[in-house]
Amino acid sequence: MITNFNYIDENFKRIRENVDSSIAKYRKSDDVVRIMAVTKTVQPEAVNHAINLGIDLLGENRVQEYLSKKDIYYKSAEIDFIGRLQTNKVKYIINDMSLIHSVDSLKLAQEIDRLAFKNSKIQNVLVEVNIAGEESKAGIKPELLKDFLLEVSHLENIRVKGLMTLPPANSGEKFLAKMQDLYIDISQEKIHNISMTILSMGTSNDYMQAIKYGSNLVRIGTALFGARVYS
Ligand SMILES: *Cc1c(COP(=O)(O)O)cnc(C)c1O
């Protein structure tokens, strides 16, 4: 087990600089882009090291893994769920999550709504978009997004705050641009309970390009913590 986490300092500094220079290059000077630390396979002590450096948002992919690590995490960071979420597992995480990025079916949205009501909370969510229409991937296809949002808008204990996507690897900028267009189009629709304030897009390989296309939340794993080791 690694106990010296100083390599994270350099990584975080570089990411921060890259985010700032991308904002300077492509965006309004007062635009804010949040950096999420994606924690899958990362030991909780390394995550805490990142929190000490200034990380204030964690992204969790797996319910079981999260439950095994949550008590060790420092409490100062917000936690979002970004992975595929089975309806029967929502109950284990709903009270801890600021935002669930991966809503991709009405069944899941209904279960989140039901449990949010039961726990007297309003759950903020993003709708995951399958921007390239890949058969193997989660997410709502772009042409079905508006109808999906209209259905979700009836659920009173959910608030849709924006969109999330994970474009195909090495696909260049075209899907980032397509996602930005979709986000802007949907922003112009006035749908009850739906606001477009968060565009969650960009990972270690493409966060600077994602910022170019309007992302305001980048989800960084390997560029911060190093290559993932699966046990
Ligand atoms: C793993 C993961 C990331 C981070 O990917 P990296 O390439 O390690 O930066 C971002 N978003 C989601 C949904 C992920 O599962």
Side-chain angles (χ1 to χ4, degrees):
M1 180 168 292
I2 302 167
T3 53
N4 183 333
F5 303 115
N6 292 339
Y7 64 94
I8 299 172
D9 301 30
E10 275 304 307
N11 290 344
F12 184 57
K13 186 162 166 272
R14 190 175 54 247
I15 293 162
R16 182 82 265 167
E17 286 168 0
N18 287 337
V19 166
D20 289 345
S21 65
S22 302
I23 294 171
K25 196 162 166 192
Y26 300 121
R27 302 278 290 273
K28 295 201 300 296
S29 59
D30 59 349
D31 278 2
V32 174
V33 175
R34 279 192 95 178
I35 299 171
M36 166 191 281
V38 175
T39 68
K40 59 183 182 251
T41 78
V42 178
Q43 60 187 98
E45 294 78 9
V47 174
N48 285 343
H49 187 91
I51 293 172
N52 275 341
L53 295 174
I55 284 288
D56 62 2
L57 179 62
L58 307 181
E60 296 294 317
N61 280 78
R62 299 172 185 142
V63 171
Q64 282 311 323
E65 184 181 336
Y66 168 67
L67 295 176
S68 75
K69 286 156 60 171
K70 62 180 265 189
D71 292 335
I72 305 169
Y73 288 159
Y74 296 148
K75 300 289 172 264
S76 57
E78 279 183 80
I79 303 176
D80 289 358
F81 200 83
I82 62 170
R84 202 171 264 204
L85 184 55
Q86 289 170 269
T87 50
N88 62 354
K89 298 214 170 130
V90 177
K91 58 178 178 286
Y92 300 117
I93 57 148
I94 185 143
N95 278 322
D96 298 352
M97 297 300 150
S98 294
L99 185 67
I100 298 174
H101 293 222
S102 44
V103 170
D104 65 350
S105 74
L106 193 59
K107 188 166 155 253
L108 176 59
Q110 285 166 334
E111 179 64 357
I112 294 169
D113 179 63
R114 185 182 76 80
L115 288 168
F117 175 77
K118 206 173 145 194
N119 289 284
S120 311
K121 91 179 262 200
I122 302 287
Q123 180 65 55
N124 290 333
V125 305
L126 304 180
V127 171
E128 181 169 354
V129 176
N130 184 348
I131 193 62
E134 295 168 278
E135 285 312 326
S136 63
K137 218 177 240 174
I140 303 293
K141 295 195 175 156
E143 62 274 22
L144 303 176
L145 179 63
K146 189 177 170 198
D147 285 344
F148 181 72
L149 289 170
L150 287 169
E151 290 187 281
V152 172
S153 72
H154 299 298
L155 304 173
E156 291 295 333
N157 286 68
I158 281 191
R159 294 288 180 280
V160 175
K161 295 290 178 187
L163 305 177
M164 182 270 238
T165 197
L166 186 65
N170 307 316
S171 56
E173 297 189 354
K174 70 171 184 274
F175 293 117
L176 301 173
K178 191 173 176 207
M179 191 67 203
Q180 181 179 39
D181 289 345
L182 185 63
Y183 182 78
I184 291 169
D185 286 348
I186 294 291
S187 304
Q188 273 143 20
E189 309 272 350
K190 295 278 167 278
I191 309 176
H192 173 69
N193 279 344
I194 309 277
S195 61
M196 288 290 135
T197 53
I198 301 173
L199 177 56
S200 168
M201 175 167 88
T203 62
S204 293
N205 287 326
D206 65 354
Y207 64 96
M208 289 180 273
Q209 292 93 321
I211 291 169
K212 177 175 171 186
Y213 291 99
S215 170
N216 54 21
L217 195 167
V218 292
R219 308 182 309 268
I220 313 283
T222 52
L224 184 63
F225 295 117
R228 279 184 282 277
V229 183
Y230 290 91
S231 47

